[in-house]
Amino acid sequence: GFFQSCAVEVDIKDASNATCLYADWMMRFLITYESNNGDYKTTTLNLSSSVTHNGSVCGNDTQAALVAVQFGEGHSWSINITKNNETYQGDFITVTYNTNDTAVFPDAKRKGPVTVLMKDPLHPVQLNTVFVCHNSYFIEAENITQIFWNVTVQAFVQNGTVSKKETRCPADTPTSAPTVSPTTANVTTAPTTTLSPAPTTVPKPVENPDTGNYSLKSGNKTCFLATVGLQLNISQDKPLLININPKTTVADGACGNTTATLKLNDRNSTLIGF
């Protein structure tokens, strides 16, 4: 479904008609809303082929830059970008969706525009450097999940020319290749003196995860039930296995007529979502 959205390209000019802010990206939104019968549904809001960027501004040392786009039936998205010494960084993201758009919200109980404000979690970027992220990444707030991909952004462009230097997002950073242990086929050993073997510590294997019972209710009826043991396998220099502990994990989410969302959370953050 990623490719149902259209790409957005915003090229903001200053008073001398030189580029001061450039952005090119794709995004879509997953929005949970209440229907007329009291159920909660999750719908997908994609960018339309006709997008405007009224209100976008260059910004300067004292004023934040602003990328603002409007699309579809009364929907809009914007981000403030601030400059601090030698870096720039996204500040607040504002999303406004209009539940009067019956193609996206066919049976919404609440009618009219709804605005959600959230903090941009990405790290600062050096000035005169382009932020690039080809792989998808997610930003969640309240009842909205934003999905971005194929992102190219540079704020506070110098001399009207978009830089060739790139800063990549964590999603684009390749993981280190696993270390290959030497085998008898590729190692030549010198004669050795027989010694008593040194004691070795055998890594303790990770046990299978405990089975958890997770459920969601719509009104007083159970609408989602999962009985499952879950284990995260983190790929890094030294692979890490983490068992999800059902005793400290709670279920959250929503059910609709055709879709359901289950989020498993510990005390601090979302662990995994279905």
Side-chain angles (χ1 to χ4, degrees):
F2 281 170
F3 300 101
Q4 294 175 2
S5 273
C6 300
V8 185
E9 184 177 24
V10 177
D11 188 351
I12 307 301
K13 308 286 187 180
D14 61 17
S16 62
N17 202 35
T19 296
C20 60
L21 190 156
Y22 178 82
D24 188 358
W25 77 101
M26 299 186 75
M27 66 180 175
R28 64 196 279 251
F29 308 89
L30 301 180
I31 302 173
T32 301
Y33 69 97
E34 186 178 5
S35 66
N36 287 321
N37 60 12
D39 288 340
Y40 284 87
K41 299 182 177 181
T42 300
T43 188
T44 301
L45 174 61
N46 292 306
L47 291 175
S48 61
S49 58
S50 177
V51 178
T52 59
H53 52 82
N54 299 325
S56 298
V57 296
C58 294
N60 51 43
D61 291 341
T62 58
Q63 179 186 8
L66 177 68
V67 180
V69 295
Q70 304 83 37
F71 60 97
E73 300 296 324
H75 312 296
S76 63
W77 178 93
S78 65
I79 182 171
N80 285 55
I81 305 175
T82 56
K83 182 165 66 169
N84 183 16
N85 296 328
E86 299 300 320
T87 64
Y88 64 90
Q89 182 178 19
D91 191 7
F92 286 100
I93 296 174
T94 304
V95 180
T96 298
Y97 60 91
N98 184 9
T99 57
N100 287 324
D101 185 349
T102 55
V104 182
F105 307 95
D107 55 353
K109 182 177 181 178
R110 176 181 178 181
K111 298 296 184 181
V114 180
T115 299
V116 177
L117 187 69
M118 65 204 74
K119 184 75 174 175
D120 184 2
L122 296 179
H123 296 299
V125 179
Q126 289 292 318
L127 290 174
N128 200 32
T129 303
V130 178
F131 173 78
V132 176
C133 193
H134 294 306
N135 288 292
S136 59
Y137 64 94
F138 303 78
I139 300 177
E140 294 185 60
E142 298 185 21
N143 62 322
I144 296 182
T145 299
Q146 299 179 79
I147 308 170
F148 301 87
W149 69 103
N150 289 347
V151 177
T152 302
V153 176
Q154 184 181 353
F156 308 102
V157 176
Q158 300 176 8
N159 301 320
T161 303
V162 176
S163 176
K164 301 296 184 181
K165 294 172 57 179
E166 293 184 355
T167 292
R168 289 298 186 100
C169 64
D172 282 2
T173 304
T175 57
S176 301
T179 303
V180 179
S181 301
T183 65
T184 55
N186 60 20
V187 175
T188 302
T189 58
T192 59
T193 303
T194 302
L195 299 173
S196 298
T200 58
T201 302
V202 179
K204 183 180 179 180
V206 176
E207 298 176 352
N208 289 333
D210 293 334
T211 300
N213 296 300
Y214 309 103
S215 62
L216 300 176
K217 287 185 178 295
S218 178
N220 59 358
K221 295 182 179 180
T222 298
C223 61
F224 195 119
L225 178 64
T227 301
V228 61
L230 293 168
Q231 184 181 86
L232 302 181
N233 187 337
I234 312 298
S235 298
Q236 52 186 21
D237 292 342
K238 185 178 180 181
L240 177 64
L241 296 178
I242 300 175
N243 286 339
I244 303 302
N245 183 358
K247 294 180 180 179
T248 60
T249 302
V250 296
D252 190 11
C255 298
N257 290 335
T258 59
T259 61
T261 301
L262 174 67
K263 295 180 181 180
L264 300 181
N265 308 285
D266 64 10
R267 293 183 179 89
N268 300 310
S269 61
T270 300
L271 291 171
I272 191 167
F274 298 94

